[in-house]
Amino acid sequence: PKIYDFLSQRKIPALIAWSYLPDSKLPSVGFDNRAAMFDLASHVIEMGHTQIGVISGLVDGNDRARLRVQGIRDAISDSGLAANNLTLVETSYEIENGAKAFRDLMNADPPPTALLCGNDVLAAGALRQAKEMGLDVPGDVSITGFDDIELARIVSPALTTVHVPHREMGRKAALQLVEMVENQTAGTGEQLATRIVNRPSLGKPASG
């Protein structure tokens, strides 16, 4: 809020990207983080997974991380699973932290059969740790990411993830800022679509 006030007082055009927030004071060009993760979590549950682990970014002060976790919680609730079917670890976005969080989650009783990660970087760390622990992905545990950056395609196995329209979002945000500067308009928000990209890191649970 302090940054928003600073920009407003100086009449500096600004907008929000990566999140579509229709109730925000600033226009936003992005996507619905809650809905995108809700769709992925629902897909994972539909494949038969009932014990879900989550490696999330730190939600305090991060609306994207918070909304993605909310999407998972909503999918758990809508599917009829109990809230304690979900185990959550929050950490900062680094491969090493994804690896540590994976190790902690797999020590739970019972361990999750699927781990949903807040982004592809955390998921890459989880994949690396699974390999070090001798676990097969997705035979022993499934792992998913979010963002569909290049890393998601080159890790082994390649990550099931949520594709975010990175380039289109950047292009539309830039065009919107140009419009705000040249015509001194308040700007308008725009919601972009995401989609699930299925790759080999997600499979049915072993018991299924």
Side-chain angles (χ1 to χ4, degrees):
K2 290 181 179 179
I3 294 174
Y4 292 169
D5 290 342
F6 179 91
L7 295 170
S8 176
Q9 289 168 7
R10 288 156 182 78
K11 295 182 169 44
I12 298 172
L15 55 76
I16 297 169
W18 286 89
S19 279
Y20 177 68
L21 303 170
D23 297 329
S24 172
K25 292 181 180 179
L26 297 179
S28 58
V29 177
F31 57 94
D32 186 331
N33 282 271
R34 190 209 69 86
M37 190 60 102
F38 176 90
D39 289 345
L40 179 60
S42 298
H43 177 54
V44 168
I45 293 168
E46 286 167 3
M47 293 190 70
H49 294 279
T50 57
Q51 293 296 327
I52 309 295
V54 178
I55 304 177
S56 169
L58 302 172
V59 300
D60 187 27
N62 185 331
D63 64 305
R64 290 168 291 177
R66 176 177 55 80
L67 289 168
R68 292 175 195 181
V69 170
Q70 188 60 53
I72 298 170
R73 294 191 189 281
D74 290 347
I76 292 280
S77 176
D78 282 13
S79 70
L81 295 175
N84 61 8
N85 283 66
L86 183 151
T87 307
L88 170 70
V89 173
E90 291 183 35
T91 188
S92 55
Y93 292 127
E94 295 177 11
I95 288 177
E96 291 292 339
N97 292 338
K100 181 181 183 302
F102 177 88
R103 186 169 61 249
D104 292 344
L105 284 167
M106 295 309 292
N107 285 328
D109 185 20
T113 61
L115 272 83
L116 283 72
C117 299
N119 70 3
D120 296 333
V121 171
L122 291 174
L127 281 173
R128 192 189 73 183
Q129 185 62 32
K131 186 173 295 185
E132 289 185 6
M133 293 171 65
L135 296 173
D136 177 70
V137 179
D140 296 318
V141 60
S142 289
I143 297 173
T144 66
F146 196 106
D147 286 336
D148 197 24
I149 60 175
E150 186 176 15
L151 180 64
R153 299 187 292 276
I154 64 173
V155 292
S156 180
L159 278 169
T160 290
T161 189
V162 173
H163 177 77
V164 173
H166 312 89
R167 292 181 182 276
E168 185 71 358
M169 186 163 45
R171 187 182 72 84
K172 288 181 178 293
L175 289 172
Q176 186 66 242
L177 278 174
V178 170
E179 168 72 15
M180 293 165 70
V181 170
E182 291 185 347
N183 298 319
Q184 297 185 346
T185 61
T188 56
E190 184 169 355
Q191 183 173 3
L192 304 179
T194 61
R195 58 183 170 84
I196 296 171
V197 180
N198 283 294
R199 297 195 180 101
S201 72
L202 174 63
K204 294 181 180 296
S207 60

